[in-house]
Amino acid sequence: MAYLHLELKAVPLDRHTAMIARLTQLHGLMSQAPGFVDAQISRYLGNPTQYLITRTWADAAVHAAYRQSDVQKAFAANPAVGLWQNLLVQEWEDVQAAPGSSSGGFVVRSLYQLPDGGWEGFLATRRGFDRAALASGGVQHLKTYRRLDRSGDGAHEALLLRRWTGRAAYDAYLEHADRAAAVAAAGPDAVQPTVTECYELVLEHLPAS
């Protein structure tokens, strides 16, 4: 299962360019490391100071190996003072994915708190919604994650990261007949998201060729 390192950052209004430059340098170094899959910088559309940073690796072990590398230690020796405040730093593993046939930079982040024993039913329900999203079009990917830290609230927390061509494609999904059918099939007791946020992709890094 792929490993996701997720951060939410609060960035001063006059430091956005410097923050992006710093993370671009970091992600460029990561892109040359074994096991690196991708990294994204996304800007929260509801608050100009908040950013979502996601980095995917083949597994947690290769990420840990990178963290111990001389390249990372040299980079960390020059800390990013004043460029951001970390609001969240979390580790996740992917448990379900549905790739789409489009590409885009509209990212929707949703969090769910599941009841005891609720994972199997939740994933089955998500498959219905994923099918509806794919039918509506404009999807790059639909990914569901489980927290690696399963103490406290993390024990039952699920993360959805969905990527669309744009807001119009997301709205088309919300109004699609197949989604209405998925809502009806899930029933009135279906788990509802505790958080749903929309982001705009700013920059993406893929493995160095």
Side-chain angles (χ1 to χ4, degrees), residues 97-200:
S101 57
S102 302
S103 61
F106 187 79
V107 179
V108 181
R109 168 182 173 260
S110 299
L111 291 173
Y112 293 77
Q113 280 292 332
L114 308 185
D116 288 341
W119 267 100
E120 183 176 349
F122 178 74
L123 291 177
T125 298
R126 288 317 318 169
R127 286 192 287 271
F129 282 96
D130 287 353
R131 286 192 294 271
L134 295 174
S136 71
V139 172
Q140 176 157 336
H141 62 235
L142 310 163
K143 297 182 179 181
T144 303
Y145 299 86
R146 186 173 185 173
R147 277 280 293 275
L148 284 178
D149 178 7
R150 292 174 189 158
S151 60
D153 289 343
H156 304 299
E157 194 167 25
L159 165 71
L160 271 60
L161 290 178
R162 295 167 286 173
R163 190 161 153 186
W164 308 81
T165 57
R167 178 60 189 257
Y170 181 58
D171 287 346
Y173 156 68
L174 295 178
E175 299 177 4
H176 199 273
D178 287 1
R179 182 181 179 276
V183 170
D189 297 326
V191 178
Q192 300 300 314
T194 58
V195 171
T196 296
E197 296 174 339
C198 299
Y199 291 81
E200 174 190 22

